[in-house]
């Protein structure tokens, strides 16, 4: 168990997952607060609530795509870069409190959450290419 906890790859993945979960949670709170600032807050809060839950409904679909994905590590890195780009766009437009900007922010958050679910499924299926041994793969009986 201690050897597993000393694994740098595992430490990096666990740290990244922790900060991702923290960031998503904080952003969802901020998005709900943003929604409450509009003239019809019940509608906007409902839109945020639905858009936050729906990516989890797609969990089975993203899991299936992740299982069938080749070069999982490349796709995992790509999804994280796309998410970062989406949040950079979001940071540029979120200070404008109009309904259209709100809907764009919700769509960006939705797409990012779906990509995050896909990336999480990529990690859980096998974060390594099948041709290379990796620390996240169990060793075979002969030590490979």
């Amino acid at each position: 168990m201690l050897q597993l906890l000393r694994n740098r790859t595992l430490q990096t993945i666990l740290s990244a997952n922790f900060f991702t979960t923290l960031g998503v949670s904080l952003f969802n709170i901020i998005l709900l607060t943003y929604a409450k600032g509009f003239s019809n807050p019940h509608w906007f809060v409902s839109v945020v609530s639905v858009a936050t839950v729906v990516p989890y409904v797609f969990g089975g679909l993203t899991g299936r795509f992740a299982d069938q994905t080749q070069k999982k590590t490349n796709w995992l890195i790509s999804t994280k870069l796309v998410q970062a780009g989406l949040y950079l766009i979001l940071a540029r437009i979120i200070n404008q409190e109009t309904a259209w900007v709100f809907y764009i922010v919700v769509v960006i958050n939705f797409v990012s959450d779906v990509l995050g679910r896909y990336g999480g499924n990529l990690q859980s299926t096998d974060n390594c290419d099948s041709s290379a041994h990796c620390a996240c793969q169990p060793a075979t009986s002969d030590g490979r």
Side-chain angles (χ1 to χ4, degrees):
M1 180 68 173
L2 289 175
Q3 182 182 7
L4 188 63
L5 293 175
R6 290 184 188 135
N7 184 319
R8 300 291 282 175
T9 304
L10 182 63
Q11 288 176 356
T12 302
I13 290 171
L14 290 176
S15 297
N17 286 341
F18 171 77
F19 286 113
T20 298
T21 302
L22 182 64
V24 166
S25 299
L26 288 173
F27 183 77
N28 286 336
I29 292 169
I30 290 168
L31 192 55
L32 285 169
T33 304
Y34 183 65
K36 288 175 67 177
F38 286 95
S39 61
N40 187 3
H42 297 292
W43 167 255
F44 290 99
V45 168
S46 296
V47 169
V48 170
S49 298
V50 169
T52 302
V53 171
V54 169
Y56 292 95
V57 174
F58 290 129
L61 187 61
T62 58
R64 183 174 173 93
F65 285 139
D67 287 343
Q68 296 172 351
T69 300
Q70 301 296 318
K71 298 185 180 181
K72 291 175 179 21
T73 303
N74 292 344
W75 278 99
L76 181 61
I77 292 168
S78 298
T79 58
K80 296 302 179 189
L81 290 173
V82 170
Q83 282 181 289
L86 288 172
Y87 280 112
L88 287 173
I89 293 168
L90 190 140
R92 302 274 297 161
I93 66 171
I94 198 166
N95 61 353
Q96 303 169 22
E97 291 191 27
T98 67
W100 284 107
V101 169
F102 171 80
Y103 291 121
I104 291 169
V105 167
V106 169
V107 167
I108 287 173
N109 188 53
F110 175 80
V111 170
S112 177
D113 285 352
V114 170
L115 287 173
R117 297 288 299 166
Y118 174 68
N121 288 325
L122 284 172
Q123 283 181 340
S124 65
T125 56
D126 182 7
N127 189 2
C128 307
D129 293 327
S130 60
S131 61
H133 176 69
C134 181
C136 57
Q137 291 178 331
T140 60
S141 60
D142 63 355
R144 288 185 287 147

